[in-house]
Amino acid sequence: MPSGVRRTAFFTFAMSLVALAVAAGAYAGNGGFLPGDAHSPNAHRIHDAFIFVAIFTGIILVLVEGALIAFVIKYRRGSRARTVEGPQIHGSTRLEILWTVVPVLVLAAIGSFVLYKLPGIADAPKAAAADETTIQIEGHQFYWLFRYPNGAVSINRMIAPANEVVHEDVIGLDWDVNHSWWVPDLGGKNDAIPGRVNKTWFEAPVGTYVARCAELCGIQHALMDATVQVVPRAQYDSFIQQRSANASGVALGKEEWQGVCQSCHRLDHTYIGPALGGNPLLADRKGIESLLRNGGVQMPAVGKNWTGAQIDALIAYTKQFATKGATG
Ligand code: CUA
């Protein structure tokens, strides 16, 4: 290779490395090394495992890449002719035993540590039955629906009691696609697989935690976020009582409009789907029910399992947009 070409190749390679290294840091922002701050016992254990594995992979990265760079420099061709062959080596028993045994020990250490941590991640701590709440989490294209023990419903915003075990049933609906429920601060990812229920839990102090869909589920996957608002028990009780007593109210309807319809629709312009402002369907109970339950040409059946009250709630909010000239 002529030296000019070699220099250009080396320069391109070096700049690519710098760009990669800088881009990763810039993209991460202040996201930090760990997936969020742990605020639940299972999330703490996941972080422990994360750090334990990272120590080994970090050491291996430095050793392997360090040796690679050192050998590239030490054994470079220099002034030898391009056709000169290197020394022919056949086997090194000691080296071969070493590079078999060391990885086995490393994998055994990582495996043992993770298995030791696993029960505390998967199993909720025992608690008095009275202190336990189970919230059902349904993954829909493209929103999260939460059902509480008294039948109350919320969309994209889970309210949960603080400092007690909250069980989560992550439900995959038969007619929907795969989603994955992930609240990084409160534990690991749990897939919502059609036809299955995956169980997980958390126990967290008062706070608002970000949830994401961690499985590519379609065109609006990236916007399928939610929050988990952990509040004192009394506040949680009063929220679900109000919601259940007013199950067809405007408050839920607004959540449905913003969390479900607005995933793909706007009032005044075409978005993923057509503009909806002035559409008489927004005040037509029968028409909208049919659309929600069966879907449209491209629209999934976003409300197939909604209760009558949920549909009433949507209409209570959207009827204001059914007349021409409505904006919002
Ligand atoms: Cu739901 Cu991605």
Side-chain angles (χ1 to χ4, degrees):
M1 206 188 293
S3 71
V5 175
R6 195 190 306 162
R7 212 175 305 131
T8 309
F10 177 76
F11 184 74
T12 309
F13 175 69
M15 289 320 287
S16 310
L17 279 189
V18 170
L20 268 177
V22 173
Y27 184 70
N30 59 358
F33 178 64
L34 287 161
D37 298 322
H39 287 286
S40 177
N42 46 357
H44 278 292
R45 291 190 180 92
I46 289 174
H47 281 200
D48 292 346
F50 188 95
I51 290 167
F52 190 79
V53 173
I55 289 170
F56 284 100
T57 53
I59 292 171
I60 291 167
L61 175 80
V62 169
L63 286 181
V64 171
E65 295 306 308
L68 179 69
I69 292 167
F71 286 1
V72 163
I73 294 167
K74 183 158 192 262
Y75 298 108
R76 70 189 182 283
R77 182 164 64 92
S79 56
R80 277 173 290 144
R82 284 179 64 80
T83 48
V84 173
E85 287 204 38
Q88 305 296 303
I89 296 164
H90 296 282
S92 165
T93 309
R94 197 146 54 114
L95 207 57
E96 284 166 17
I97 290 174
L98 216 60
W99 76 44
T100 306
V101 171
V102 170
V104 166
L105 292 179
V106 168
L107 288 177
I110 289 176
S112 311
F113 188 80
V114 170
L115 287 176
Y116 165 72
K117 288 286 182 185
L118 199 55
I121 294 170
D123 308 332
K126 296 257 178 293
D131 286 350
E132 296 201 353
T133 303
T134 300
I135 299 174
Q136 296 185 329
I137 301 166
E138 294 177 1
H140 292 255
Q141 279 180 316
F142 295 97
Y143 67 98
W144 295 104
L145 189 147
F146 307 104
R147 294 189 196 277
Y148 302 85
N150 69 344
V153 166
S154 68
I155 306 276
N156 285 352
R157 180 177 65 125
M158 183 205 278
I159 310 289
N163 305 316
E164 58 181 271
V165 173
V166 177
H167 296 274
E168 299 175 296
D169 287 354
V170 181
I171 296 172
L173 304 159
D174 282 337
W175 57 91
D176 213 279
V177 301
N178 286 352
H179 304 271
S180 181
W181 173 247
W182 188 31
V183 192
D185 291 1
L186 304 182
K189 295 171 183 171
N190 278 269
D191 288 349
I193 300 165
R196 290 190 52 168
V197 178
N198 280 329
K199 291 176 182 292
T200 184
W201 62 281
F202 65 83
E203 184 178 2
V206 168
T208 298
Y209 307 97
V210 174
R212 306 198 181 291
C213 179
E215 184 70 52
L216 181 61
C217 55
I219 190 165
Q220 295 296 71
H221 153 75
L223 302 181
M224 203 170 150
D225 293 340
T227 53
V228 175
Q229 292 177 4
V230 178
V231 298
R233 178 84 206 188
Q235 202 178 323
Y236 163 80
D237 285 336
S238 98
F239 172 80
I240 61 169
Q241 270 157 28
Q242 276 176 22
R243 260 298 153 88
S244 140
N246 192 12
S248 56
V250 164
L252 175 61
K254 188 174 179 186
E255 271 185 19
E256 290 172 337
W257 169 256
Q258 291 177 340
V260 183
C261 309
Q262 286 201 322
S263 299
C264 295
H265 294 280
R266 294 290 181 269
L267 285 173
D268 53 359
H269 62 273
T270 304
Y271 183 38
I272 305 296
L276 293 183
N279 191 328
L281 203 60
L282 295 176
D284 170 6
R285 174 69 168 73
K286 264 207 162 123
I288 213 161
E289 173 163 15
S290 162
L291 189 61
L292 292 170
R293 296 217 189 279
N294 306 311
V297 183
Q298 304 224 29
M299 178 179 149
V302 296
K304 200 177 186 76
N305 66 340
W306 283 16
T307 60
Q310 277 180 265
I311 294 169
D312 292 340
L314 182 64
I315 287 277
Y317 184 72
T318 58
K319 62 183 182 204
Q320 61 181 310
F321 303 131
T323 44
K324 279 266 179 262
T327 54

